[in-house]
Amino acid sequence: MLNYLMKSRPGQFLLIGVCFIVLGFVFTLFHDGFSRISFYIAIFFLGFFAAKDAVVDTVRSKSPNVDLLMILAALGAVIIDYESEGALLLLIFAGAEVLEDYASTKSTSAISELMSQVPDTAQLLKDNGEVVEVSTEDLKVGDTVVVSKGAQIPIDGFTDRNTMVNEAALTGESVPVEKEKGAEVFAGTINEGIAFHLTVNKLSSETVFSNIIRMVEEAQNRPSKISKFIDRIESKYVIAVLVAVPIFIFILYALQDFTFREAFYRGMVLLTVASPCALVASATPATLSAISSGAKHGVLFKGGAAMEALSTMDVLYSDKTGTLTYGEFTVIDHEVDEEILKEVVYMEQQSTHPIAEAIVANFADLDLEAVDRTEPVEEVAGAGIKKGDIKVGKPSAFDDYEDVNNYRSKIEKSHTTVFVGKGKHIVGYFSLADQIREESAEAVSGFQAEGIHVALLTGDNVNVAKTVAEEVGIEDYAASCLPEDKIRYVQESQEKDKVVGMIGDGINDAPALANADIGIAMGSGSSVAMESSDVVIVKNNLAKLFYSFKLSRRLNRIIVANVTFSLSVIVILIVLNFFGLLNLPMAVLFHEGSTILVILNGLRLLLQKDRTAMA
């Protein structure tokens, strides 16, 4: 904190102001003139930024703000020769402002921590074999980068050989992952295998980490609903106070036989205690702290509204593949003509779906030279992919296809089946198996214990859906869902006045994520899913979502407590002033002290612990 005070200009002005206030009180013992001068200098430094904000914001927004009230109260104290009280008022107000800025700085440190995990330089391999160090910002798609053993990978790309990569920074899993030749590796992860050459496939501004950093930055500029509400009423409240204070002074002076000096003094007390400083600080520092805490634990909220909304969720719909399961499929059985198999493998190379990756990996040694590469491969969201008259996808997409070989009988419980069609005939199938994420059942149980209805929506067959649902403890599930089906389920719940959350990771989940009240994407999923969501679980651990839910609930409790406390303090102090039981120093102490307390209360969220981190 002291380091922040020394480096920031408001902090430096605060320290200078403190020094002159101390001198002012010391000089009161020896020389009143020097004492007044010291307090005037303190008022200048302590009120400089408040005055600047009061003038700039009032002119820009054409409405007064809380800074204006504080400056007027301090000037009023000076007019009636209460320089020390005016200086103390601005001291505590400036201290609260610096503390709030410090809270914002602490929350934005999450970005710095993320950025520090990614190297800003890379070893570029030139055409002549020379290796030169360049900035990652200068790398282009197609460039070749040398990644040494033990080095951090500087940018996203494809490896040219088998290696081992520690992806803990992204997934939270400390066990290195084996990456085969041609597999994608990500910036910020660590090469724990042999040195390899990486072919850049994304610009530095498009990597997974850069997207994470961008989303955190955007989140901090998107206020919560209660913050926006407080911002809207602030100017109206300030105007009401500016009107009420002169009326109050007039009533005391004209109707209560107070001297003008006494009436004005009581008016300055009212101006001080009626200022909504604590109320204004009730939500924003707490929300920024919560966003920062979430980012530190691998959960990105795209703004305070998303953070607040999560705690109000009534229904949570979940995708299966890559969400409740690892999404790491293995081909356990297949039957298809070899020539068509080559076409299928080539088609699946164009997709990033886990099933496609499993098929490509299983037939990595297949010679695809004879495949026609001029015909385009089209992805059909929620159904599969096609190339010409060849189609690969879920069984429900082949309901109108003839099945002369009775491949439909190959559909087995607990396995995922993919059909291959040519023309209007089913000509083959693949049977794949996936694994349940260990933390899925724990997260589902946690949500259900909180009274949230959890349901499974999957494009897979009913047998697989039932098996997965039973393993994770979900009673309500729907199988063979197309993107429009998932949207329908979301909207039906919303029509029943339910706050709906949807979690998924694929392109087919993106429409439902966008339609849900709270869209939640897994960080390993498609960029479309992440862009369509309100929350991103960076580290692929579903228990992180339950942590986020608990964090959201704690945030809302803190905001409610802050608002209640700040309003109570204002009301109590106004009542005490009406009865003449409050002087200006005590008004300053209690009112501005309440502002500091609500800021510190919000900062507690920076210490929120993630119980899943131990899992």
Side-chain angles (χ1 to χ4, degrees):
M1 181 66 180
L2 182 60
N3 186 48
Y4 173 77
L5 289 174
M6 297 295 290
K7 288 185 175 180
S8 70
R9 184 58 61 87
Q12 293 168 353
F13 275 37
L14 176 63
L15 292 176
I16 294 172
V18 169
C19 292
F20 277 100
I21 283 180
V22 172
L23 285 175
F25 282 113
V26 171
F27 282 136
T28 55
L29 303 174
F30 307 105
H31 195 290
D32 285 344
F34 287 164
S35 175
R36 285 172 178 264
I37 292 172
S38 294
F39 285 130
Y40 289 152
I41 296 173
I43 287 173
F44 171 79
F45 281 102
L46 295 172
F48 179 83
F49 287 101
K52 180 181 177 182
D53 290 341
V55 173
V56 172
D57 290 350
T58 300
V59 172
R60 184 179 298 163
S61 62
K62 298 180 180 178
S63 59
N65 59 17
V66 67
D67 299 271
L68 181 62
L69 292 184
M70 290 297 96
I71 294 299
L72 291 177
L75 291 177
V78 170
I79 290 172
I80 55 176
D81 299 325
Y82 282 84
E83 298 88 359
S84 60
E85 283 83 352
L88 287 173
L89 167 63
L90 291 179
L91 169 63
I92 303 179
F93 181 73
E97 290 286 295
V98 168
L99 183 60
E100 187 168 356
D101 288 340
Y102 176 71
S104 299
T105 301
K106 287 288 288 182
S107 69
T108 55
S109 66
I111 299 176
S112 300
E113 291 176 12
L114 287 171
M115 292 181 70
S116 67
Q117 298 184 52
V118 184
D120 54 10
T121 60
Q123 302 298 316
L124 175 65
L125 178 64
K126 302 180 74 173
D127 293 338
N128 61 5
E130 181 185 1
V131 177
V132 295
E133 184 173 271
V134 298
S135 169
T136 54
E137 294 181 355
D138 296 330
L139 292 174
K140 301 184 293 296
V141 174
D143 282 347
T144 301
V145 171
V146 178
V147 182
S148 305
K149 177 180 175 63
Q152 275 190 303
I153 296 172
I155 198 164
D156 292 3
F158 301 111
T159 173
D160 71 332
R161 66 199 70 177
N162 295 353
T163 189
M164 300 291 290
V165 176
N166 187 326
E167 296 184 332
L170 278 178
T171 66
E173 299 293 336
S174 58
V175 178
V177 178
E178 184 175 355
K179 295 288 185 177
E180 297 182 352
K181 178 181 178 180
E184 186 174 18
V185 292
F186 304 101
T189 58
I190 299 173
N191 175 28
E192 294 193 356
I194 62 174
F196 65 87
H197 292 172
L198 175 150
T199 302
V200 178
N201 72 330
K202 294 174 187 171
L203 299 177
S204 63
S205 60
E206 299 171 344
T207 64
V208 172
F209 258 108
S210 64
N211 285 331
I212 290 171
I213 293 166
R214 175 179 54 79
M215 283 188 280
V216 174
E217 289 175 330
E218 289 176 353
Q220 293 173 333
N221 294 318
R222 294 176 180 171
S224 62
K225 290 182 180 179
I226 191 167
S227 295
K228 287 191 285 188
F229 174 73
I230 291 174
D231 288 342
R232 284 200 304 271
I233 68 170
E234 180 184 351
S235 61
K236 297 181 178 65
Y237 185 97
V238 170
I239 291 172
V241 172
L242 290 174
V243 172
V245 168
I247 294 174
F248 179 66
I249 293 173
F250 175 78
I251 291 173
L252 293 181
Y253 177 68
L255 304 178
Q256 298 292 322
D257 295 328
F258 280 73
T259 65
F260 179 77
R261 181 184 175 85
E262 292 172 336
F264 193 83
Y265 179 86
R266 291 273 294 276
M268 291 306 97
V269 174
L270 178 62
L271 184 61
T272 301
V273 301
S275 174
C277 299
L279 180 62
V280 170
S282 294
T284 302
T287 303
L288 291 177
S289 297
I291 290 173
S292 173
S293 180
K296 186 167 62 177
H297 293 106
V299 182
L300 304 182
F301 291 90
K302 295 184 180 178
M307 170 67 80
E308 280 183 5
L310 187 59
S311 67
T312 66
M313 185 168 61
D314 300 308
V315 179
L316 174 62
Y317 287 115
S318 176
D319 178 43
K320 178 184 71 69
T321 305
T323 305
L324 295 177
T325 67
Y326 284 101
E328 296 173 358
F329 287 90
T330 301
V331 177
I332 58 176
D333 189 21
H334 76 284
E335 187 176 326
V336 63
D337 179 79
E338 185 173 349
E339 291 305 311
I340 294 181
L341 174 61
K342 293 178 181 179
E343 292 282 353
V344 170
V345 173
Y346 170 75
M347 292 164 63
E348 298 290 13
Q349 286 179 345
Q350 321 305 312
S351 175
T352 59
H353 193 281
I355 289 178
E357 292 175 352
I359 293 175
V360 171
N362 193 78
F363 301 99
D365 297 331
L366 202 62
D367 184 4
L368 305 182
E369 285 296 326
V371 175
D372 179 10
R373 300 169 187 268
T374 61
E375 200 165 17
V377 177
E378 301 175 31
E379 185 154 0
V380 183
I385 55 177
K386 66 178 183 177
K387 174 176 176 266
D389 64 347
I390 299 177
K391 180 178 177 182
V392 185
K394 64 176 66 176
S396 60
F398 295 83
D399 288 343
D400 57 343
Y401 279 56
E402 292 186 26
D403 183 15
V404 295
N405 295 311
N406 200 24
Y407 287 129
R408 288 193 176 95
S409 65
K410 303 291 186 179
I411 298 177
E412 296 183 30
K413 181 179 180 180
S414 78
H415 290 166
T416 297
T417 302
V418 174
F419 282 166
V420 181
K422 183 174 175 59
K424 279 296 180 178
H425 294 82
I426 299 175
V427 295
Y429 77 95
F430 296 88
S431 185
L432 304 98
D434 195 2
Q435 288 183 316
I436 303 291
R437 291 183 182 274
E438 295 178 4
E439 68 276 3
S440 296
E442 177 188 346
V444 169
S445 175
F447 279 115
Q448 291 172 337
E450 295 289 342
I452 295 171
H453 178 71
V454 183
L456 169 63
L457 302 179
T458 178
D460 221 324
N461 67 71
V462 67
N463 289 328
V464 173
K466 181 180 179 182
T467 300
V468 171
E470 288 175 349
E471 287 193 41
V472 299
I474 295 176
E475 294 183 2
D476 190 7
Y477 61 88
S480 303
C481 290
L482 296 171
E484 53 267 32
D485 296 322
K486 295 183 179 183
I487 294 173
R488 178 169 51 82
Y489 280 106
V490 167
Q491 292 176 340
E492 285 176 355
S493 293
Q494 289 172 330
E495 289 170 1
K496 298 175 183 176
D497 295 325
K498 302 292 185 182
V499 178
V500 180
M502 172 72 197
I503 180 168
D505 72 332
I507 293 175
N508 60 321
D509 298 316
L513 292 174
N515 277 270
D517 297 295
I518 308 116
I520 306 147
M522 298 295 273
S524 64
S526 70
S527 58
V528 176
M530 285 190 279
E531 290 294 335
S532 304
S533 64
D534 304 296
V535 183
V536 178
I537 311 300
V538 179
K539 298 177 180 179
N540 299 323
N541 183 335
L542 193 63
K544 297 285 183 182
L545 180 59
F546 187 61
Y547 155 77
S548 309
F549 172 79
K550 301 291 282 187
L551 179 65
S552 175
R553 282 213 165 165
R554 191 177 180 200
L555 169 65
N556 283 356
R557 286 197 299 267
I558 284 177
I559 290 177
V560 170
N562 282 349
V563 170
T564 303
F565 174 71
S566 58
L567 289 175
S568 299
V569 168
I570 290 173
V571 171
I572 292 171
L573 294 180
I574 288 175
V575 171
L576 290 175
N577 186 44
F578 280 163
F579 288 100
L581 302 175
L582 193 67
N583 59 29
L584 188 55
M586 294 302 291
V588 170
L589 179 63
F590 285 116
H591 184 266
E592 293 305 313
S594 67
T595 303
I596 292 175
L597 286 177
V598 299
I599 294 173
L600 291 175
N601 193 37
L603 283 175
R604 289 191 301 124
L605 286 171
L606 288 172
L607 305 177
Q608 176 83 5
K609 291 185 178 180
D610 177 12
R611 303 298 179 187
T612 67
M614 303 300 294

